[in-house]
Amino acid sequence: MNVSLNWIKELVGEHASSLPDVDVIADTLTRIGHEVEEIRQTSPLPDSVIIGEVLETEKHPDADRLKVCKVRISKDEISTIICGAPNVAAGQFVPVATPGSVLPIKDKEGKPLSIKTSKIRGIESNGMICAMDELALGEDHDGIMVLNDEVSSSDVGRPFSEACSIVADTILEVSLTPNRPDAASHRGVARDLCAALGLPTKWSFPSANSSRPDNLWASNNTQSSNKGHVKISLPDEQCPRYVARWVHGVTIGPSPLHVRQRLESLGLRSVNNVVDATNWVLHEMGHPTHAFDAGSFSSGTLTVQRFDKEVDFTTLDHIERSCPAGTLFICDGDKPVAIAGVMGGLDSEVSDETTDILLESAFFAPSSIRKTSKTLGLQTDASYRYERGADPLACLEAAQRVVELIHDWAGGEVSGEIADVFHSDGLEPSAIPFDCSLTTRILGHEIESTAQFEALKSLGCNVDESTSNNSSTIASVTPPSFRPDLSRPIDLVEEVGRLWDYNRLPEPTVQQAFVPQPIPARESYLMGCASACMRLGYREIQSNSLIPKDEAHQAIEPSKVIHTLNPVSTEATSLRPTLAIGGLAVFQRNRNRGVHAARCFEIGHVYRRTDGQGTWHQGIDERTHLWMGVTGPIHEGDWAISEKSYRFDHLKRDLLSVLKVALGSTVDTQNITFVTNTSNPLQSDIQAHGQSIGTFTELGRKERKALDLDSPTFMVEVDLDRCFDVWTQAEPTRAKEVSKYPSIDYDFALVVASDVAAGTLEAIIRDTGSERLQRIQCFDVYEGDQIAKNTKSLAFRCTFLDSTKTLTFNEVEDEIKLILNSLKDKASAELRT
Amino acid sequence: MKQKVDDARDKIVDAVLDSEEALESFRLTYLSRNGLFSTLFEEFKALPGPEKKEVGKPLNVLKVQAEQKYAEAKERLEDAKEAERTATDDITLPVEPSLLGSMHPLTLVRHEMTQLFMRMGFTVADGPEIEDDFHNFTALNFPADHPARDMQDTFFVRKGEDEDHRSDDLVLRTHTSPVQIRLMKDKKPPIRAIMPGRVFRNEAVTYKSYFQFSQVEGLVVDTSITMADLIHTLVTFAKMMYGDHIEYRVRSSYFPFTEPSIEMDVRTTSDAPWMEILGAGMVDPNVLRAVDVDPDTYSGFAFGMGIDRICMLKYGFSDIRTLYENDLRMLSQFEHIGGVR
């Protein structure tokens, strides 16, 4: 919200001179919860922009659209000025920028526009007659400003800003929190500012004092009103109060210049003198009002009601809206004329022909307005305030203020009749029993009860200390009607605290003793897995949790994919069911930027629908996965490294190392097996002790082509939640004694049929070998002319070790014989000779 | 015999051992099994006593001398050979450094923050990213249909595949506060924990906003926890994170789940602009009640800060999208940062 410092000063009134300078004001507002995000000055106008009187105009001899004007610029000085505006005419009083003036707008080169005497098509022009935008007073550039309503001939030659009360202002851009509808006005900001600075607060408005009745709540419950020849009845509980006022015989036109200037400087659009009056009061005291063209009412009855069916209604922004059943309307009889608390209708809008005004100043139930505003997707200045909670007691005062301004700016006669229908039940703020010691308990510092009570009073609370019997720290506090956010003692603690200033809280003298709690194993476990990847030279990436729908559908069974109901874009519609999609997208993006080599990992959540129990919520599996992927050259153009691109075994090696960390000591590398997917030879299931923990994938030709990846690409995705379950069963690490005796290696080469998997042979060797068999390596693989067709040769090295003695070669040979027999029996493996 | 020894001495002294060949020839001539010394020692054995006495010592001295000459020459030749460098022995040949791996800058910052809070006695808690309304909103004192919900543009997710069951909608958590609720439901006070994690807001992607980001939130609940404790904790953290010299200010704010609520700004010098780094406050009594903690006995504070924002400040990122682009040339700039474990 934009806040005018001039306006604040006017509202603070006689104490305005005690206000500190703007930086301190901004800091104070920020400190008490109204963060000032920007401070800017409106552009001051130089005194060389003066009032001129157009005496005569004639067409420029050499230019159809230009006029040569004789303009009186002082008592006895007449200038010739060329003007292109279509509306310039003799008899007008106009702003004239005399030569030498520097205007607060930019020229074509971006510098402040400087006015010089110059010849325009052969005729000398001594200055410029200004349009509104040229003086930075608005956007209007349709014609020059005509000031006949503002000034008279005695003002000719006076500085324009002085004659028209145009004053430079400072605008504070304030970020409002949603709990403070009362602060969405200059009065609200001024009130909090004065409370924080310890200045007396001025509550009322220059001319509205008299309209503030003494008894604000009780006995005001009325069912209907018959004032102003209109019967107003309120059958609807969502409109507890409806005040109507009338102004007859108004002349619709532009508002006075200083009004337009102030509204413009706050970023508001000036409409006309009546609508501007309602806007003025909205920003002055925060209460929304609405001016109807009273002449458009025909039934003599005004009702506030809801309909059982959808209603098509054209709002004054010329948009026809389908309002769902239950939308609250203001109606002329049964004909809707405004969406209550949101926006008026086009048919009852104040137009240039309007002469009689019906002014509404109402209070609507916040939830009703919020619902309507949300379903219509229409937030207005009025709905913003109503849905957060307006002040039901402000209705009369706001109406009085608006009709006075209408009278001042648009003439007419204010009717003395005031319709006020008010169901005040349940609206009156309840008294809050408040014990000042709560403040001490919450803030950790004792603030004297008198200071606490003073702070609450300065915010408009009624503090009744008589309820306390023997302690002066207990009071009954009734918040003002404009503070719907105050209902509990803790709310009052915040009010005291923010005015007192949290920055003044002393450091705790006694540090709370705490017993550090153990860090959950999972936290260090995940970090350990990430570190393992990093130790192997992998780079961590963080990809999007939300991915395109079609990619998610390609990855898994579409019915398992979870979509957001309100995606931010087509690129981010669905929750990732695997990390692979994001990882491969990173490969592709880097490849397209010329980075071919990639070796990456990611740890993150993946999400799928499940028929089962789900991890956290019924039907939804949310798990933590680890993805590792490699592509491109290993070391591009290196003179010494002969392996130019990745093979599956590079990633398999790295995976086995990472799994040492991820599975802990419970699973030996030898117990991790890879089971090839029968339908897709490029994909294998990774199993630990026979339990599936992930997938190993080589990207096929077509997949790589689609991703622009021209090198072999491999990836694994591991379910870390499953691994963690295994990991937690591990025994604590204990140092095991190592054997003092040497080991013996035994090499042999086998010939087997081509379709026998190496893993099968390895498993046979392991199962047959005794516990002395420490390690099995495959050191050579051969297919070719030197052996029979459809066979292959694998060379194994078995390492034997005994922890109690030095092994003899004979003992090892005995074991090898058993192993070779077993290989022959189970896999028809022959010793290669 | 003596003459033979003298002749041999002259030759041995004069021998030039400047190549592998000369060295081998010397060895064969004098020191090998069939070499001169073998022959001479055979002859020596046959000598009569007095002559033995005369020849023995010089012969032995000469042999040691020859062996020394040979050893020195061999060492010298090997040194010379080692000093000779082939094309692939050239240390100036360019190579790529070994692959070092790296953590994502967001992980680095999250880890740094986690470490700091652990030093202050906080533990770490975890929860799901898909949450229900109760944990993400209701228990956190966001009444249904309340404007405060507008503060956090929310992604909704249907709980079942049944299109008609909208009332069961889930959300992508908009903050990690639901983990606070889970923690307080699981465990009675005292509680002292942080909850780092990914969160989601339905916001257009621009240089300063993204639909996902990471947060670290913290929660302390015990008897007599105060705002003064909260501010002290935050200032201690901020000084460790940003340096001892920083200035800070606390200002009033609003969050549905805390009352009173504050935000904290820091700056490195008194003429620098304030940077907002976190939101915090005393846990609202309604939140404590929602998890069956008695607000008359216990009080607590909570805080939350965005990891992305702190990461951007720390490493000088100007566009949040860069963090999720994963350009390897960008990520490689963080590989020299070690110490994450």
Side-chain angles (χ1 to χ4, degrees):
Chain A
M1 186 182 71
N2 289 323
V3 172
S4 149
L5 189 60
N6 288 348
W7 210 341
I8 293 291
K9 285 179 178 166
E10 288 165 26
L11 292 171
V12 172
E14 57 192 297
H15 300 287
S17 58
S18 308
L19 286 173
D21 63 14
V22 63
D23 289 339
V24 178
I25 288 176
D27 282 350
T28 306
L29 288 174
T30 297
R31 175 167 61 72
I32 62 176
H34 311 300
E35 188 185 2
V36 175
E37 293 184 326
E38 202 189 323
I39 302 173
R40 58 174 184 272
Q41 309 292 329
T42 63
S43 317
L45 289 174
D47 286 350
S48 54
V49 177
I50 57 166
I51 304 293
E53 181 182 7
V54 182
L55 300 176
E56 58 184 71
T57 68
E58 60 182 50
K59 197 183 87 61
H60 191 296
D62 292 329
D64 286 346
R65 292 194 180 162
L66 296 181
K67 286 175 185 158
V68 181
C69 309
K70 297 283 182 220
V71 182
R72 191 161 68 83
I73 57 167
S74 71
K75 209 169 176 187
D76 40 30
E77 204 177 340
I78 291 167
S79 275
T80 301
I81 298 174
I82 313 285
C83 181
N87 66 331
V88 67
Q92 288 173 339
F93 294 105
V94 292
V96 176
T98 55
S101 301
V102 178
L103 300 184
I105 59 164
K106 302 278 195 287
D107 65 11
K108 283 170 195 155
E109 288 162 21
K111 293 179 195 146
L113 182 63
S114 179
I115 304 298
K116 300 184 191 79
T117 299
S118 59
K119 277 194 174 172
I120 299 177
R121 301 238 171 151
I123 298 176
E124 193 172 73
S125 179
N126 296 291
M128 181 168 86
I129 304 177
C130 299
M132 206 149 182
D133 66 332
E134 287 155 346
L135 299 176
L137 296 175
E139 284 159 21
D140 190 3
H141 190 70
D142 291 344
I144 53 158
M145 291 175 76
V146 179
L147 304 171
N148 290 35
D149 289 342
E150 312 276 337
V151 299
S152 61
S153 60
S154 61
D155 291 317
V156 170
R158 284 179 70 196
F160 162 77
S161 54
E162 182 190 307
C164 295
S165 311
I166 304 294
V167 283
D169 199 353
T170 302
I171 306 297
L172 308 178
E173 197 181 320
V174 178
S175 163
L176 294 176
T177 55
N179 60 326
R180 293 294 305 277
D182 67 297
S185 69
H186 284 75
R187 171 153 76 167
V189 171
R191 188 164 45 214
D192 257 27
L193 179 66
C194 287
L197 294 172
L199 295 175
T201 313
K202 193 172 164 76
W203 297 106
S204 303
F205 288 92
S207 55
N209 287 345
S210 55
S211 71
R212 212 176 158 85
D214 289 337
N215 191 347
L216 296 168
W217 292 107
S219 76
N220 252 337
N221 271 351
T222 43
Q223 292 303 316
S224 64
S225 151
N226 220 341
K227 301 281 174 57
H229 312 295
V230 177
K231 180 175 163 57
I232 297 176
S233 54
L234 291 185
D236 203 296
E237 74 273 14
Q238 294 188 345
C239 176
R241 189 171 203 183
Y242 200 95
V243 168
R245 299 288 305 263
W246 289 265
V247 187
H248 302 291
V250 298
T251 308
I252 305 299
S255 295
L257 196 53
H258 75 275
V259 173
R260 283 185 278 157
Q261 184 229 353
R262 178 164 287 175
L263 293 176
E264 292 282 353
S265 72
L266 295 176
L268 304 167
R269 196 171 56 91
S270 171
V271 180
N272 59 44
N273 43 14
V274 170
V275 174
D276 286 359
T278 62
N279 268 334
W280 183 277
V281 171
L282 178 83
H283 288 274
E284 189 174 57
M285 59 179 286
H287 194 80
T289 59
H290 184 69
F292 292 102
D293 180 349
S296 72
F297 282 65
S298 55
S299 74
T301 323
L302 186 150
T303 59
V304 183
Q305 57 176 303
R306 288 174 282 181
F307 297 94
D308 294 338
K309 55 179 186 355
E310 191 174 277
V311 175
D312 289 335
F313 181 73
T314 305
T315 40
L316 49 76
D317 52 6
H318 296 263
I319 295 173
E320 181 171 323
R321 300 173 188 275
S322 294
C323 307
T327 303
L328 193 66
F329 283 102
I330 313 299
C331 298
D332 170 17
D334 281 330
K335 178 189 159 212
V337 291
I339 303 173
V342 181
M343 193 179 267
L346 186 61
D347 292 347
S348 58
E349 186 189 27
V350 173
S351 70
D352 290 350
E353 287 75 42
T354 301
T355 54
D356 297 320
I357 301 294
L358 187 163
L359 183 81
E360 162 196 299
S361 178
F363 176 80
F364 301 106
S367 60
S368 163
I369 303 304
R370 175 170 168 75
K371 202 172 157 199
T372 303
S373 169
K374 279 208 93 164
T375 45
L376 295 181
L378 178 63
Q379 193 182 66
T380 59
D381 279 342
S383 72
Y384 176 90
R385 286 160 178 83
Y386 278 130
E387 71 176 70
R388 283 160 178 75
D391 178 4
L393 292 192
C395 298
L396 276 177
E397 188 184 2
Q400 175 69 21
R401 178 75 172 143
V402 176
V403 295
E404 283 173 15
L405 292 180
I406 290 176
H407 173 74
D408 289 352
W409 300 344
E413 189 188 331
V414 177
S415 163
E417 298 209 82
I418 302 172
D420 181 7
V421 188
F422 189 12
H423 299 178
S424 65
D425 291 348
L427 290 179
E428 189 170 359
S430 307
I432 304 166
F434 181 58
D435 184 339
C436 290
S437 66
L438 180 64
T439 308
T440 313
R441 195 187 139 215
I442 295 298
L443 297 188
H445 180 69
E446 188 172 346
I447 300 170
E448 278 198 24
S449 57
T450 46
Q452 295 197 36
F453 294 150
E454 279 314 307
L456 293 171
K457 285 177 196 165
S458 72
L459 292 167
C461 292
N462 179 41
V463 179
D464 179 1
E465 292 169 65
S466 65
T467 53
S468 61
N469 292 330
N470 41 23
S471 162
S472 62
T473 66
I474 296 175
S476 172
V477 178
T478 308
S481 57
F482 49 79
R483 290 297 301 271
D485 59 317
L486 303 184
S487 62
R488 307 170 298 167
I490 192 76
D491 300 329
L492 302 179
V493 171
E494 175 161 58
E495 295 308 295
V496 171
R498 77 186 172 93
L499 291 188
W500 191 79
D501 186 358
Y502 302 119
N503 293 291
R504 288 167 60 198
L505 287 176
E507 266 190 32
T509 45
V510 180
Q511 284 298 308
Q512 186 84 12
F514 56 84
V515 182
Q517 294 155 21
I519 306 301
R522 199 181 141 84
E523 171 71 14
S524 48
Y525 170 79
L526 292 176
M527 211 59 208
C529 292
S531 287
C533 295
M534 195 175 83
R535 279 149 85 183
L536 294 164
Y538 285 73
R539 252 186 234 316
E540 191 195 15
I541 56 172
Q542 290 208 4
S543 66
N544 289 339
S545 296
L546 291 164
I547 60 168
K549 184 178 185 174
D550 52 341
E551 290 184 23
H553 280 182
Q554 273 170 29
I556 60 160
E557 161 66 33
S559 67
K560 304 270 186 225
V561 178
I562 301 170
H563 308 289
T564 64
L565 293 172
N566 50 339
V568 67
S569 78
T570 54
E571 290 300 297
T573 59
S574 310
L575 285 150
R576 60 183 176 194
T578 87
L579 296 178
I581 298 165
L584 291 175
V586 168
F587 280 2
Q588 183 180 23
R589 186 175 311 124
N590 277 283
R591 162 66 183 76
N592 292 338
R593 289 177 177 186
V595 182
H596 295 248
R599 184 179 173 90
C600 298
F601 79 98
E602 177 168 18
I603 292 175
H605 288 211
V606 297
Y607 328 77
R608 296 178 187 199
R609 290 204 189 284
T610 170
D611 300 327
Q613 185 58 39
T615 42
W616 297 87
H617 301 283
Q618 175 74 35
I620 289 188
D621 240 355
E622 180 177 339
R623 311 186 74 87
T624 302
H625 277 194
L626 162 68
W627 179 85
M628 297 167 74
V630 290
T631 187
I634 300 174
H635 266 302
E636 209 160 4
D638 194 291
W639 57 271
I641 294 173
S642 55
E643 293 153 343
K644 295 303 179 194
S645 55
Y646 284 101
R647 286 191 317 261
F648 85 88
D649 58 295
H650 291 113
L651 183 57
K652 183 176 174 181
R653 278 170 227 283
D654 294 340
L655 171 67
L656 292 175
S657 292
V658 169
L659 288 179
K660 285 185 185 182
V661 175
L663 295 170
S665 57
T666 51
V667 182
D668 273 347
T669 301
Q670 58 193 11
N671 289 323
I672 295 164
T673 49
F674 293 77
V675 181
T676 303
N677 185 334
T678 45
S679 62
N680 180 1
L682 297 183
Q683 201 165 64
S684 316
D685 192 34
I686 308 165
Q687 300 181 349
H689 280 309
Q691 190 203 359
S692 172
I693 54 167
T695 312
F696 192 111
T697 309
E698 173 178 357
L699 244 56
R701 213 168 11 90
K702 288 176 195 145
E703 291 168 284
R704 282 200 279 128
K705 195 169 179 209
L707 294 164
D708 312 315
L709 299 173
D710 24 38
S711 307
T713 303
F714 303 90
M715 60 183 187
V716 293
E717 186 151 351
V718 174
D719 184 336
L720 284 187
D721 288 329
R722 279 196 194 147
C723 292
F724 181 67
D725 289 343
V726 174
W727 182 88
T728 49
Q729 293 155 22
E731 298 288 328
T733 303
R734 305 277 297 168
K736 276 196 287 265
E737 208 167 326
V738 294
S739 173
K740 297 180 184 71
Y741 305 97
S743 60
I744 292 181
D745 289 347
Y746 194 105
D747 295 355
F748 56 88
L750 300 171
V751 178
V752 292
S754 295
D755 60 357
V756 176
T760 309
L761 300 175
E762 190 203 0
I764 294 169
I765 295 170
R766 177 175 310 112
D767 293 347
T768 315
S770 73
E771 59 184 17
R772 290 166 171 170
L773 175 56
Q774 297 286 306
R775 188 162 70 160
I776 305 163
Q777 290 166 283
C778 179
F779 65 90
D780 190 42
V781 180
Y782 178 77
E783 275 178 312
D785 297 341
Q786 292 179 28
I787 52 174
K789 217 176 172 190
N790 295 326
T791 65
K792 62 184 176 185
S793 169
L794 299 170
F796 288 95
R797 169 168 299 166
C798 294
T799 303
F800 295 89
L801 179 71
D802 192 307
S803 57
T804 59
K805 60 174 185 164
T806 302
L807 278 176
T808 66
F809 193 70
N810 286 344
E811 287 170 313
V812 169
E813 266 196 322
D814 289 343
E815 289 222 21
I816 291 291
K817 271 178 201 157
L818 288 173
I819 288 170
L820 291 176
N821 284 337
S822 189
L823 284 165
K824 187 169 185 174
D825 286 352
K826 292 176 180 161
S828 305
E830 298 289 344
L831 204 57
R832 187 180 173 196
T833 49
Chain B
M1 180 75 199
K2 186 174 181 296
Q3 187 57 48
K4 282 184 182 170
V5 173
D6 290 342
D7 290 349
R9 183 181 296 114
D10 291 347
K11 282 185 183 162
I12 285 169
V13 170
D14 291 346
V16 179
L17 303 182
D18 57 355
S19 68
E20 297 269 348
E21 295 75 28
L23 189 69
E24 184 61 8
S25 151
F26 183 86
R27 188 184 68 84
L28 291 171
T29 309
Y30 299 103
L31 301 172
S32 68
R33 204 185 297 181
N34 301 317
L36 183 61
F37 282 105
S38 294
T39 318
L40 289 177
F41 275 99
E42 286 300 315
E43 286 180 29
F44 172 77
K45 276 182 196 165
L47 285 180
E51 225 179 309
K52 258 187 181 166
K53 217 172 185 181
E54 189 191 356
V55 177
K57 198 175 177 192
L59 180 59
N60 263 322
V61 169
L62 182 60
K63 191 189 176 201
V64 169
Q65 198 181 345
E67 280 169 346
Q68 265 178 7
K69 177 155 185 162
Y70 174 80
E72 282 166 17
K74 189 177 181 201
E75 191 67 23
R76 201 166 52 241
L77 277 171
E78 282 178 358
D79 280 353
K81 192 179 175 191
E82 193 177 59
E84 258 175 45
R85 310 259 72 190
T86 67
T88 53
D89 289 329
D90 179 359
I91 187 63
T92 66
L93 271 173
V95 297
E96 286 285 304
S98 291
L99 296 169
L100 188 51
S102 57
M103 290 292 184
H104 195 280
L106 287 170
T107 304
L108 292 171
V109 171
R110 192 195 73 208
H111 189 73
E112 183 178 355
M113 293 167 72
T114 307
Q115 292 294 310
L116 293 183
F117 281 113
M118 283 182 182
R119 287 176 63 191
M120 292 193 273
F122 286 77
T123 184
V124 180
D126 194 12
E129 291 168 2
I130 299 179
E131 265 297 2
D132 55 24
D133 184 274
F134 174 79
H135 288 94
N136 195 72
F137 288 125
T138 306
L140 289 159
N141 197 33
F142 285 84
D145 227 15
H146 191 270
R149 293 196 176 200
D150 292 350
M151 289 168 83
Q152 305 185 342
D153 291 315
T154 310
F155 283 114
F156 294 94
V157 167
R158 199 150 291 160
K159 191 168 187 179
E161 283 170 81
D162 185 353
E163 298 285 316
D164 296 331
H165 284 84
R166 294 211 57 166
S167 58
D168 285 343
D169 281 352
L170 299 171
V171 300
L172 300 189
R173 66 178 179 192
T174 57
H175 43 198
T176 58
S177 310
V179 182
Q180 301 188 12
I181 298 300
R182 290 179 180 278
L183 191 61
M184 287 190 282
K185 278 169 73 185
D186 278 359
K187 182 183 178 310
K188 290 298 150 200
I191 288 171
R192 195 173 175 88
I194 56 165
M195 352 13 236
R198 184 172 277 192
V199 302
F200 302 86
R201 301 273 169 94
N202 193 337
E203 284 176 355
V205 173
T206 69
Y207 75 97
K208 60 177 183 179
S209 70
Y210 207 81
F211 53 76
Q212 68 191 12
F213 57 97
S214 306
Q215 270 194 332
V216 172
E217 290 193 10
L219 174 71
V220 173
V221 182
D222 204 342
T223 53
S224 66
I225 296 292
T226 69
M227 179 71 94
D229 296 325
L230 167 62
I231 293 174
H232 178 71
T233 302
L234 296 178
V235 170
T236 306
F237 166 78
K239 285 189 170 175
M240 287 198 282
M241 189 79 199
Y242 299 99
D244 217 18
H245 60 286
I246 53 146
E247 294 179 25
Y248 69 90
R249 71 174 183 190
V250 171
R251 53 193 167 79
S252 180
S253 188
Y254 169 72
F255 305 104
F257 33 90
T258 50
E259 185 87 4
S261 304
I262 58 168
E263 286 179 281
M264 192 162 128
D265 303 334
V266 298
R267 61 182 178 192
T268 44
T269 55
S270 43
D271 51 358
W274 289 105
M275 302 180 299
E276 178 188 323
I277 57 161
L278 58 86
M282 301 303 293
V283 180
D284 194 288
N286 289 349
V287 175
L288 294 176
R289 275 186 211 105
V291 291
D292 292 326
V293 172
D294 180 7
D296 293 329
T297 309
Y298 292 102
S299 56
F301 65 70
F303 57 83
M305 48 194 119
I307 297 176
D308 300 51
R309 191 181 160 76
I310 293 175
C311 178
M312 289 171 76
L313 286 173
K314 183 177 173 83
Y315 293 124
F317 287 99
S318 55
D319 187 332
I320 190 171
R321 289 171 292 200
T322 315
L323 293 175
Y324 297 101
E325 212 170 59
N326 297 297
D327 190 309
L328 295 171
R329 295 165 299 180
M330 178 60 76
L331 297 180
S332 68
Q333 297 172 35
F334 296 89
E335 66 184 8
H336 65 277
I337 300 175
V340 174
R341 183 55 238 263

